[in-house]
């Protein structure tokens, strides 16, 4: 089996990251995703040293997640042609005024905006849900890209043993795609229902990732007591998500202010604003990692109760 060490995300040179010109919040998100990936990679290496993962399933999943990160942040070294492929979920020409670059989502969003069923705050919450669904569509398209590449490689297999291993990896990727499509369909149905009916007064949560976890939990084999316990944990998690979003907003504001101050040329003022910006950036990265790790743990906890795991 090929070593996974060349995939070590922290071997990526920082000048390359700087050249990408990512916005501060996106750079913070990338840092969190890479830290989670590195932690999962170290855990896999320990399992491999103990003779586990003989079928390569965990390694394939790590590679798949890493490919998602590369494509998500434009680090895969190719132009983003996914949106131009008619086989993908998006198969339309982008029109002026489109918000989510997806005809079904844009139509549903425009209907929600003009329905009069939502307050300004509820519309902001709903927009985050729509954006989360768009992100899930993008991830689906990325995974489908990797499946297509694996199928091309599979055609060039020489030895039967190598063929069996690649066949297994391909099967895992197809299973992942099917699960992601099921989740997308369920997510869209939820958006459609909310758009038609509005938010109910007894809505449990507001944050899209928390809502998705709660919907997963209700479809799992958890008992009523376990659901009650999980609901409380999800409330704490939602507070963590909201706090992280607050720091992301502050980071973006700090970045805008720093650019303004740099244009004025006051060195002392620049230094003070840089210190504040760096402090906020570090805090956002730290909170982003903790939030995503908690999200991963909650997802695994729910999936162990009869629901196939789906990365969020």
């Amino acid at each position: 089996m090929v070593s996974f060490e060349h995939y070590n995300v922290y071997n990526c040179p920082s000048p390359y990251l700087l050249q990408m010109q990512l916005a501060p919040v996106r750079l913070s998100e990338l840092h969190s995703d890479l830290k989670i990936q590195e932690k999962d990679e170290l855990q896999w290496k320990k399992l491999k040293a103990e003779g586990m993962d003989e079928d390569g399933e965990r390694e394939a999943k790590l590679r798949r997640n890493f490919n998602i990160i590369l494509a998500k942040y434009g680090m895969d070294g190719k132009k983003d042609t996914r949106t131009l492929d008619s086989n993908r979920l998006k198969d339309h020409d982008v029109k002026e005024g489109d918000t989510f670059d997806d005809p079904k989502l844009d139509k549903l969003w425009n209907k929600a905006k003009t329905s009069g069923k939502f307050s300004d705050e509820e519309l902001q919450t709903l927009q985050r849900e729509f954006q989360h669904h768009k992100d899930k569509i993008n991830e689906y398209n990325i995974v489908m890209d990797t499946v297509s590449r694996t199928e091309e490689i599979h055609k060039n297999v020489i030895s039967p043993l190598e063929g069996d291993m690649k066949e297994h990896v391909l099967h895992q990727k197809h299973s992942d795609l099917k699960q992601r499509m099921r989740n997308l369909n369920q997510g869209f149905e939820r958006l459609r229902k909310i758009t038609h009916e509005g938010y109910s007064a007894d809505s449990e949560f507001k944050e899209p990732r928390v809502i998705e976890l709660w919907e997963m939990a209700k479809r799992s084999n958890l008992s009523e007591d376990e659901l009650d316990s999980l609901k409380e944990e999800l409330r704490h998690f939602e507070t963590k998500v909201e706090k992280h979003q607050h720091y992301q907003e502050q980071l973006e504001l700090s970045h805008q202010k720093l650019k303004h101050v740099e244009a004025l040329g006051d060195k002392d003022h620049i230094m003070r604003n840089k210190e504040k910006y760096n402090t906020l950036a570090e805090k956002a990265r730290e909170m982003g990692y903790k939030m995503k790790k908690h999200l991963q743990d909650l997802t695994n906890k729910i999936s162990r109760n009869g629901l196939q795991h789906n990365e969020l």
Side-chain angles (χ1 to χ4, degrees):
M1 184 181 295
V2 178
S3 171
F4 198 68
E5 288 186 3
H6 66 285
Y7 274 84
N8 190 315
V9 293
Y10 279 93
N11 286 338
C12 187
S14 57
Y16 174 69
L17 296 181
L18 292 174
Q19 289 170 12
M20 290 168 58
Q21 296 297 310
L22 287 177
V25 170
R26 289 284 286 169
L27 196 58
S28 174
E29 288 287 302
L30 171 60
H31 181 275
S32 301
D33 284 342
L34 292 181
K35 198 169 178 181
I36 292 284
Q37 178 74 15
E38 183 185 47
K39 187 178 181 67
D40 289 345
E41 181 185 330
L42 292 173
Q43 189 176 36
W44 168 77
K45 285 180 179 178
K46 288 179 183 178
L47 291 174
K48 187 183 177 185
E50 294 169 4
M52 301 177 69
D53 195 35
E54 291 184 357
D55 59 4
E57 182 177 341
R58 285 177 178 267
E59 182 182 15
K61 182 179 173 184
L62 274 174
R63 291 178 186 272
R64 186 163 64 245
N65 289 344
F66 186 59
N67 284 331
I68 288 174
I69 292 173
L70 292 178
K72 182 179 177 181
Y73 296 97
M75 297 168 64
D76 52 357
K78 61 180 182 179
K79 293 180 181 179
D80 189 2
T81 57
R82 287 180 296 276
T83 57
L84 302 179
D85 191 330
S86 61
N87 291 326
R88 303 311 197 264
L89 289 180
K90 178 192 168 189
D91 58 359
H92 73 299
D93 294 326
V94 178
K95 299 176 182 177
E96 187 176 353
D98 283 354
T99 304
F100 301 103
D101 295 341
D102 180 276
K104 287 167 61 179
L105 283 182
D106 285 326
K107 184 178 179 180
L108 205 58
W109 172 244
N110 289 325
K111 185 173 183 178
K113 283 195 301 182
T114 57
S115 67
K117 295 176 182 175
F118 303 95
S119 66
D120 290 344
E121 184 180 353
E122 286 174 334
L123 271 178
Q124 288 179 358
T125 299
L126 186 59
Q127 188 174 27
R128 287 199 298 271
E129 289 208 50
F130 271 75
Q131 182 60 48
H132 180 65
H133 189 80
K134 177 189 173 182
D135 292 342
K136 303 297 283 186
I137 291 174
N138 289 342
E139 286 190 8
Y140 175 90
N141 289 337
I142 292 166
V143 173
M144 190 157 76
D145 275 342
T146 66
V147 170
S148 299
R149 288 198 296 271
T150 304
E151 287 175 335
E152 282 298 315
I153 294 170
H154 188 63
K155 292 176 184 177
N156 300 320
V157 166
I158 299 175
S159 69
L161 180 60
E162 186 182 1
D164 289 342
M165 290 191 67
K166 288 183 178 177
E167 185 70 42
H168 175 77
V169 170
L170 196 57
H171 174 73
Q172 290 296 327
K173 290 188 175 183
H174 276 295
S175 298
D176 185 26
L177 270 179
K178 288 178 182 177
Q179 183 60 37
R180 286 175 185 271
M181 178 55 76
R182 279 193 291 268
N183 290 336
L184 281 172
N185 289 336
Q186 289 163 350
F188 185 79
E189 277 305 302
R190 171 185 160 73
L191 291 176
R192 189 188 61 77
K193 183 178 179 182
I194 293 173
T195 300
H196 283 278
E197 302 175 6
Y199 282 109
S200 60
D202 59 347
S203 295
E204 298 289 349
F205 305 103
K206 295 188 298 181
E207 291 303 323
R209 281 168 289 196
V210 184
I211 291 168
E212 187 170 15
L213 285 172
W214 181 237
E215 293 297 321
M216 286 171 60
K218 288 191 292 186
R219 296 194 300 268
S220 72
N221 297 324
L222 291 169
S223 66
E224 286 299 319
D225 287 343
E226 288 172 327
L227 278 174
D228 287 341
S229 175
L230 180 65
K231 187 188 295 184
E232 189 62 32
E233 188 174 357
L234 287 175
R235 287 196 182 106
H236 289 298
F237 176 63
E238 186 168 56
T239 300
K240 188 179 292 186
V241 173
E242 290 170 346
K243 194 172 181 181
H244 177 233
Q245 286 176 343
H246 170 73
Y247 272 95
Q248 285 185 317
E249 291 166 4
Q250 293 301 308
L251 178 62
E252 181 58 35
L253 288 172
S254 177
H255 181 243
Q256 295 299 327
K257 186 174 181 180
L258 178 59
K259 287 200 298 184
H260 175 70
V261 170
E262 285 175 338
L264 296 176
D266 186 331
K267 290 185 179 180
D268 290 339
H269 206 179
I270 291 172
M271 183 65 69
R272 287 197 299 272
N273 278 274
K274 272 188 176 178
E275 288 175 0
K276 183 179 180 181
Y277 171 78
N278 289 334
T279 300
L280 282 170
E282 179 61 33
K283 189 69 176 178
R285 288 195 295 268
E286 179 188 341
M287 292 189 69
Y289 168 72
K290 288 180 179 178
M291 185 270 291
K292 290 191 176 189
K293 184 67 176 71
H294 195 176
L295 175 63
Q296 186 183 59
D297 292 342
L298 284 167
T299 304
N300 291 335
K301 180 178 181 179
I302 295 170
S303 68
R304 282 196 298 270
N305 286 276
L307 197 70
Q308 184 174 341
H309 176 62
N310 172 52
E311 298 89 345
L312 296 174

